[in-house]
Amino acid sequence: MQQEWIMGLIGGGMIGLAATMFLLINGRIMGASGLLGGLVDGTGRGNAGERAAFIAGLIAVPGLIAFAMGGSETHASSNIAVLIAAGLCVGIGTRLANGCTSGHGVCGISRLSLRGIVATVFYLMAGGLSVMLFKHVLGVI
Amino acid sequence: MQRAIYAFLAGGLFGAGLLVSGMTDTRKVQGWLDVFGDWDPTLAFVLGGAILPMAVAWQLTRNRQPVLGGAFPPKPETRLGWPLVSGSVLFGVGWGLVGLCPGPAMASLTFGGMEGLVFLVAMLAGMLAAPPLRRRLVEASAPA
């Protein structure tokens, strides 16, 4: 357990350094949903290359590390309906809110942004209630 | 080109951090959200570890320019509004249901199997559907 916390802290530090790099060098906020969403709906056409390069690194590097380690498990649900419903909620929700865990959580809270803090409070509470409902009450996950 | 290279490196470091911290493992994420069950506090360490360097980074943006030129992001908006609240609630529901948020959904694409792919495609569809929904929400919540 404690080793997992330390890995969490180290991995978290890497995420924070990545966000620091992207801010201080490229001048951009590292928000996963915004960077991807701008490519999907066309609002990020002006800097599509930068967005695509970020996403390419985000997919390729953990892929290579996982491959070198002999694979990595996500333990995701195999229920197609659950996967589709959750994907739709995450896609619509993060774009309506204009941010997710990285944009509102990491980049927003660290500059004491009111919107970032409020968003994080709401998605954490909703996430907790969601697990309680779908796991402990309905038993679908 | 330089912008793309640094963007690739930042994305790569972000993805490596997500993998190392265990955030691509949906069981750990759902364990963090499972406050009424077998609670796993790892995500608090991840968020804390990420927020600390970024708090310093924001201080370093004062009276400076990004290394590659241009300007730093403007001061954050303070208006909250319904899209922020309803969107965050919807995101949280989906996050709890499967344990993936947008970063880890992309980072685990190569090793997440069909499950990860189905989630990602649904997420992309949701992102495509969001702009018209947002316009309606803004219209509905605008003072007459």
mmCIF file with all atom_site columns, all heavy atoms in Angstrom, chain B residues 1-18:
data_model
loop_
_atom_site.group_PDB
_atom_site.id
_atom_site.type_symbol
_atom_site.label_atom_id
_atom_site.label_alt_id
_atom_site.label_comp_id
_atom_site.label_asym_id
_atom_site.label_entity_id
_atom_site.label_seq_id
_atom_site.pdbx_PDB_ins_code
_atom_site.Cartn_x
_atom_site.Cartn_y
_atom_site.Cartn_z
_atom_site.occupancy
_atom_site.B_iso_or_equiv
_atom_site.pdbx_formal_charge
_atom_site.auth_seq_id
_atom_site.auth_comp_id
_atom_site.auth_asym_id
_atom_site.auth_atom_id
_atom_site.pdbx_PDB_model_num
ATOM 1   N N   . MET B 1 1  ? 7.666  23.810 -35.503 1.00 0.00 ? 1  MET B N   1
ATOM 2   C CA  . MET B 1 1  ? 8.247  22.485 -35.258 1.00 0.00 ? 1  MET B CA  1
ATOM 3   C C   . MET B 1 1  ? 8.713  22.343 -33.810 1.00 0.00 ? 1  MET B C   1
ATOM 4   O O   . MET B 1 1  ? 8.453  21.331 -33.164 1.00 0.00 ? 1  MET B O   1
ATOM 5   C CB  . MET B 1 1  ? 9.429  22.289 -36.226 1.00 0.00 ? 1  MET B CB  1
ATOM 6   C CG  . MET B 1 1  ? 9.909  20.847 -36.303 1.00 0.00 ? 1  MET B CG  1
ATOM 7   S SD  . MET B 1 1  ? 8.568  19.760 -36.867 1.00 0.00 ? 1  MET B SD  1
ATOM 8   C CE  . MET B 1 1  ? 9.122  18.195 -36.248 1.00 0.00 ? 1  MET B CE  1
ATOM 9   N N   . GLN B 1 2  ? 9.401  23.405 -33.319 1.00 0.00 ? 2  GLN B N   1
ATOM 10  C CA  . GLN B 1 2  ? 9.855  23.378 -31.929 1.00 0.00 ? 2  GLN B CA  1
ATOM 11  C C   . GLN B 1 2  ? 8.683  23.203 -30.965 1.00 0.00 ? 2  GLN B C   1
ATOM 12  O O   . GLN B 1 2  ? 8.776  22.457 -29.987 1.00 0.00 ? 2  GLN B O   1
ATOM 13  C CB  . GLN B 1 2  ? 10.568 24.688 -31.619 1.00 0.00 ? 2  GLN B CB  1
ATOM 14  C CG  . GLN B 1 2  ? 12.041 24.512 -31.335 1.00 0.00 ? 2  GLN B CG  1
ATOM 15  C CD  . GLN B 1 2  ? 12.645 25.823 -30.893 1.00 0.00 ? 2  GLN B CD  1
ATOM 16  O OE1 . GLN B 1 2  ? 12.150 26.902 -31.229 1.00 0.00 ? 2  GLN B OE1 1
ATOM 17  N NE2 . GLN B 1 2  ? 13.702 25.747 -30.135 1.00 0.00 ? 2  GLN B NE2 1
ATOM 18  N N   . ARG B 1 3  ? 7.584  23.906 -31.250 1.00 0.00 ? 3  ARG B N   1
ATOM 19  C CA  . ARG B 1 3  ? 6.402  23.819 -30.391 1.00 0.00 ? 3  ARG B CA  1
ATOM 20  C C   . ARG B 1 3  ? 5.908  22.374 -30.335 1.00 0.00 ? 3  ARG B C   1
ATOM 21  O O   . ARG B 1 3  ? 5.531  21.870 -29.282 1.00 0.00 ? 3  ARG B O   1
ATOM 22  C CB  . ARG B 1 3  ? 5.277  24.709 -30.931 1.00 0.00 ? 3  ARG B CB  1
ATOM 23  C CG  . ARG B 1 3  ? 5.612  26.175 -31.032 1.00 0.00 ? 3  ARG B CG  1
ATOM 24  C CD  . ARG B 1 3  ? 4.352  26.997 -31.256 1.00 0.00 ? 3  ARG B CD  1
ATOM 25  N NE  . ARG B 1 3  ? 3.562  27.077 -30.042 1.00 0.00 ? 3  ARG B NE  1
ATOM 26  C CZ  . ARG B 1 3  ? 3.790  27.976 -29.092 1.00 0.00 ? 3  ARG B CZ  1
ATOM 27  N NH1 . ARG B 1 3  ? 4.735  28.876 -29.224 1.00 0.00 ? 3  ARG B NH1 1
ATOM 28  N NH2 . ARG B 1 3  ? 3.063  27.990 -28.006 1.00 0.00 ? 3  ARG B NH2 1
ATOM 29  N N   . ALA B 1 4  ? 5.928  21.713 -31.495 1.00 0.00 ? 4  ALA B N   1
ATOM 30  C CA  . ALA B 1 4  ? 5.433  20.340 -31.569 1.00 0.00 ? 4  ALA B CA  1
ATOM 31  C C   . ALA B 1 4  ? 6.359  19.395 -30.799 1.00 0.00 ? 4  ALA B C   1
ATOM 32  O O   . ALA B 1 4  ? 5.895  18.487 -30.105 1.00 0.00 ? 4  ALA B O   1
ATOM 33  C CB  . ALA B 1 4  ? 5.305  19.900 -33.022 1.00 0.00 ? 4  ALA B CB  1
ATOM 34  N N   . ILE B 1 5  ? 7.663  19.623 -30.894 1.00 0.00 ? 5  ILE B N   1
ATOM 35  C CA  . ILE B 1 5  ? 8.619  18.752 -30.191 1.00 0.00 ? 5  ILE B CA  1
ATOM 36  C C   . ILE B 1 5  ? 8.413  18.850 -28.676 1.00 0.00 ? 5  ILE B C   1
ATOM 37  O O   . ILE B 1 5  ? 8.312  17.826 -27.986 1.00 0.00 ? 5  ILE B O   1
ATOM 38  C CB  . ILE B 1 5  ? 10.078 19.105 -30.575 1.00 0.00 ? 5  ILE B CB  1
ATOM 39  C CG1 . ILE B 1 5  ? 10.328 18.726 -32.039 1.00 0.00 ? 5  ILE B CG1 1
ATOM 40  C CG2 . ILE B 1 5  ? 11.075 18.378 -29.655 1.00 0.00 ? 5  ILE B CG2 1
ATOM 41  C CD1 . ILE B 1 5  ? 11.639 19.259 -32.593 1.00 0.00 ? 5  ILE B CD1 1
ATOM 42  N N   . TYR B 1 6  ? 8.322  20.090 -28.168 1.00 0.00 ? 6  TYR B N   1
ATOM 43  C CA  . TYR B 1 6  ? 8.127  20.238 -26.727 1.00 0.00 ? 6  TYR B CA  1
ATOM 44  C C   . TYR B 1 6  ? 6.757  19.740 -26.293 1.00 0.00 ? 6  TYR B C   1
ATOM 45  O O   . TYR B 1 6  ? 6.599  19.214 -25.188 1.00 0.00 ? 6  TYR B O   1
ATOM 46  C CB  . TYR B 1 6  ? 8.387  21.682 -26.292 1.00 0.00 ? 6  TYR B CB  1
ATOM 47  C CG  . TYR B 1 6  ? 9.867  21.994 -26.233 1.00 0.00 ? 6  TYR B CG  1
ATOM 48  C CD1 . TYR B 1 6  ? 10.485 22.758 -27.206 1.00 0.00 ? 6  TYR B CD1 1
ATOM 49  C CD2 . TYR B 1 6  ? 10.650 21.461 -25.207 1.00 0.00 ? 6  TYR B CD2 1
ATOM 50  C CE1 . TYR B 1 6  ? 11.853 23.008 -27.170 1.00 0.00 ? 6  TYR B CE1 1
ATOM 51  C CE2 . TYR B 1 6  ? 12.008 21.699 -25.152 1.00 0.00 ? 6  TYR B CE2 1
ATOM 52  C CZ  . TYR B 1 6  ? 12.614 22.478 -26.143 1.00 0.00 ? 6  TYR B CZ  1
ATOM 53  O OH  . TYR B 1 6  ? 13.955 22.706 -26.096 1.00 0.00 ? 6  TYR B OH  1
ATOM 54  N N   . ALA B 1 7  ? 5.760  19.920 -27.168 1.00 0.00 ? 7  ALA B N   1
ATOM 55  C CA  . ALA B 1 7  ? 4.422  19.406 -26.850 1.00 0.00 ? 7  ALA B CA  1
ATOM 56  C C   . ALA B 1 7  ? 4.466  17.880 -26.754 1.00 0.00 ? 7  ALA B C   1
ATOM 57  O O   . ALA B 1 7  ? 3.876  17.283 -25.851 1.00 0.00 ? 7  ALA B O   1
ATOM 58  C CB  . ALA B 1 7  ? 3.412  19.844 -27.912 1.00 0.00 ? 7  ALA B CB  1
ATOM 59  N N   . PHE B 1 8  ? 5.205  17.241 -27.674 1.00 0.00 ? 8  PHE B N   1
ATOM 60  C CA  . PHE B 1 8  ? 5.337  15.777 -27.654 1.00 0.00 ? 8  PHE B CA  1
ATOM 61  C C   . PHE B 1 8  ? 6.008  15.335 -26.347 1.00 0.00 ? 8  PHE B C   1
ATOM 62  O O   . PHE B 1 8  ? 5.572  14.387 -25.695 1.00 0.00 ? 8  PHE B O   1
ATOM 63  C CB  . PHE B 1 8  ? 6.157  15.309 -28.862 1.00 0.00 ? 8  PHE B CB  1
ATOM 64  C CG  . PHE B 1 8  ? 6.318  13.806 -28.943 1.00 0.00 ? 8  PHE B CG  1
ATOM 65  C CD1 . PHE B 1 8  ? 5.366  13.030 -29.593 1.00 0.00 ? 8  PHE B CD1 1
ATOM 66  C CD2 . PHE B 1 8  ? 7.410  13.176 -28.356 1.00 0.00 ? 8  PHE B CD2 1
ATOM 67  C CE1 . PHE B 1 8  ? 5.502  11.637 -29.663 1.00 0.00 ? 8  PHE B CE1 1
ATOM 68  C CE2 . PHE B 1 8  ? 7.547  11.791 -28.410 1.00 0.00 ? 8  PHE B CE2 1
ATOM 69  C CZ  . PHE B 1 8  ? 6.602  11.021 -29.067 1.00 0.00 ? 8  PHE B CZ  1
ATOM 70  N N   . LEU B 1 9  ? 7.083  16.053 -25.956 1.00 0.00 ? 9  LEU B N   1
ATOM 71  C CA  . LEU B 1 9  ? 7.801  15.693 -24.723 1.00 0.00 ? 9  LEU B CA  1
ATOM 72  C C   . LEU B 1 9  ? 6.912  15.873 -23.488 1.00 0.00 ? 9  LEU B C   1
ATOM 73  O O   . LEU B 1 9  ? 6.897  15.022 -22.590 1.00 0.00 ? 9  LEU B O   1
ATOM 74  C CB  . LEU B 1 9  ? 9.071  16.548 -24.588 1.00 0.00 ? 9  LEU B CB  1
ATOM 75  C CG  . LEU B 1 9  ? 10.166 16.275 -25.635 1.00 0.00 ? 9  LEU B CG  1
ATOM 76  C CD1 . LEU B 1 9  ? 11.313 17.264 -25.464 1.00 0.00 ? 9  LEU B CD1 1
ATOM 77  C CD2 . LEU B 1 9  ? 10.678 14.841 -25.516 1.00 0.00 ? 9  LEU B CD2 1
ATOM 78  N N   . ALA B 1 10 ? 6.162  16.973 -23.452 1.00 0.00 ? 10 ALA B N   1
ATOM 79  C CA  . ALA B 1 10 ? 5.272  17.207 -22.310 1.00 0.00 ? 10 ALA B CA  1
ATOM 80  C C   . ALA B 1 10 ? 4.190  16.130 -22.269 1.00 0.00 ? 10 ALA B C   1
ATOM 81  O O   . ALA B 1 10 ? 3.894  15.566 -21.203 1.00 0.00 ? 10 ALA B O   1
ATOM 82  C CB  . ALA B 1 10 ? 4.643  18.595 -22.401 1.00 0.00 ? 10 ALA B CB  1
ATOM 83  N N   . GLY B 1 11 ? 3.617  15.812 -23.421 1.00 0.00 ? 11 GLY B N   1
ATOM 84  C CA  . GLY B 1 11 ? 2.598  14.765 -23.477 1.00 0.00 ? 11 GLY B CA  1
ATOM 85  C C   . GLY B 1 11 ? 3.166  13.423 -23.039 1.00 0.00 ? 11 GLY B C   1
ATOM 86  O O   . GLY B 1 11 ? 2.520  12.668 -22.315 1.00 0.00 ? 11 GLY B O   1
ATOM 87  N N   . GLY B 1 12 ? 4.398  13.142 -23.455 1.00 0.00 ? 12 GLY B N   1
ATOM 88  C CA  . GLY B 1 12 ? 5.044  11.886 -23.081 1.00 0.00 ? 12 GLY B CA  1
ATOM 89  C C   . GLY B 1 12 ? 5.291  11.785 -21.590 1.00 0.00 ? 12 GLY B C   1
ATOM 90  O O   . GLY B 1 12 ? 5.041  10.745 -20.968 1.00 0.00 ? 12 GLY B O   1
ATOM 91  N N   . LEU B 1 13 ? 5.764  12.892 -20.989 1.00 0.00 ? 13 LEU B N   1
ATOM 92  C CA  . LEU B 1 13 ? 6.026  12.905 -19.545 1.00 0.00 ? 13 LEU B CA  1
ATOM 93  C C   . LEU B 1 13 ? 4.711  12.774 -18.768 1.00 0.00 ? 13 LEU B C   1
ATOM 94  O O   . LEU B 1 13 ? 4.637  12.080 -17.749 1.00 0.00 ? 13 LEU B O   1
ATOM 95  C CB  . LEU B 1 13 ? 6.767  14.198 -19.161 1.00 0.00 ? 13 LEU B CB  1
ATOM 96  C CG  . LEU B 1 13 ? 7.235  14.334 -17.719 1.00 0.00 ? 13 LEU B CG  1
ATOM 97  C CD1 . LEU B 1 13 ? 8.167  13.199 -17.321 1.00 0.00 ? 13 LEU B CD1 1
ATOM 98  C CD2 . LEU B 1 13 ? 7.924  15.678 -17.497 1.00 0.00 ? 13 LEU B CD2 1
ATOM 99  N N   . PHE B 1 14 ? 3.675  13.439 -19.264 1.00 0.00 ? 14 PHE B N   1
ATOM 100 C CA  . PHE B 1 14 ? 2.336  13.342 -18.661 1.00 0.00 ? 14 PHE B CA  1
ATOM 101 C C   . PHE B 1 14 ? 1.869  11.885 -18.683 1.00 0.00 ? 14 PHE B C   1
ATOM 102 O O   . PHE B 1 14 ? 1.452  11.333 -17.656 1.00 0.00 ? 14 PHE B O   1
ATOM 103 C CB  . PHE B 1 14 ? 1.385  14.248 -19.447 1.00 0.00 ? 14 PHE B CB  1
ATOM 104 C CG  . PHE B 1 14 ? -0.057 14.213 -19.005 1.00 0.00 ? 14 PHE B CG  1
ATOM 105 C CD1 . PHE B 1 14 ? -0.412 14.152 -17.666 1.00 0.00 ? 14 PHE B CD1 1
ATOM 106 C CD2 . PHE B 1 14 ? -1.076 14.279 -19.955 1.00 0.00 ? 14 PHE B CD2 1
ATOM 107 C CE1 . PHE B 1 14 ? -1.747 14.144 -17.276 1.00 0.00 ? 14 PHE B CE1 1
ATOM 108 C CE2 . PHE B 1 14 ? -2.417 14.270 -19.578 1.00 0.00 ? 14 PHE B CE2 1
ATOM 109 C CZ  . PHE B 1 14 ? -2.749 14.195 -18.244 1.00 0.00 ? 14 PHE B CZ  1
ATOM 110 N N   . GLY B 1 15 ? 2.005  11.252 -19.850 1.00 0.00 ? 15 GLY B N   1
ATOM 111 C CA  . GLY B 1 15 ? 1.564  9.863  -19.985 1.00 0.00 ? 15 GLY B CA  1
ATOM 112 C C   . GLY B 1 15 ? 2.360  8.917  -19.103 1.00 0.00 ? 15 GLY B C   1
ATOM 113 O O   . GLY B 1 15 ? 1.809  8.024  -18.463 1.00 0.00 ? 15 GLY B O   1
ATOM 114 N N   . ALA B 1 16 ? 3.687  9.144  -19.042 1.00 0.00 ? 16 ALA B N   1
ATOM 115 C CA  . ALA B 1 16 ? 4.531  8.307  -18.187 1.00 0.00 ? 16 ALA B CA  1
ATOM 116 C C   . ALA B 1 16 ? 4.117  8.479  -16.727 1.00 0.00 ? 16 ALA B C   1
ATOM 117 O O   . ALA B 1 16 ? 4.041  7.505  -15.970 1.00 0.00 ? 16 ALA B O   1
ATOM 118 C CB  . ALA B 1 16 ? 6.004  8.679  -18.383 1.00 0.00 ? 16 ALA B CB  1
ATOM 119 N N   . GLY B 1 17 ? 3.834  9.716  -16.332 1.00 0.00 ? 17 GLY B N   1
ATOM 120 C CA  . GLY B 1 17 ? 3.393  9.984  -14.958 1.00 0.00 ? 17 GLY B CA  1
ATOM 121 C C   . GLY B 1 17 ? 2.073  9.302  -14.644 1.00 0.00 ? 17 GLY B C   1
ATOM 122 O O   . GLY B 1 17 ? 1.890  8.765  -13.548 1.00 0.00 ? 17 GLY B O   1
ATOM 123 N N   . LEU B 1 18 ? 1.153  9.307  -15.605 1.00 0.00 ? 18 LEU B N   1
ATOM 124 C CA  . LEU B 1 18 ? -0.140 8.638  -15.397 1.00 0.00 ? 18 LEU B CA  1
ATOM 125 C C   . LEU B 1 18 ? 0.061  7.140  -15.193 1.00 0.00 ? 18 LEU B C   1
ATOM 126 O O   . LEU B 1 18 ? -0.577 6.525  -14.338 1.00 0.00 ? 18 LEU B O   1
ATOM 127 C CB  . LEU B 1 18 ? -1.067 8.891  -16.597 1.00 0.00 ? 18 LEU B CB  1
ATOM 128 C CG  . LEU B 1 18 ? -1.629 10.303 -16.731 1.00 0.00 ? 18 LEU B CG  1
ATOM 129 C CD1 . LEU B 1 18 ? -2.360 10.465 -18.064 1.00 0.00 ? 18 LEU B CD1 1
ATOM 130 C CD2 . LEU B 1 18 ? -2.581 10.617 -15.583 1.00 0.00 ? 18 LEU B CD2 1
#
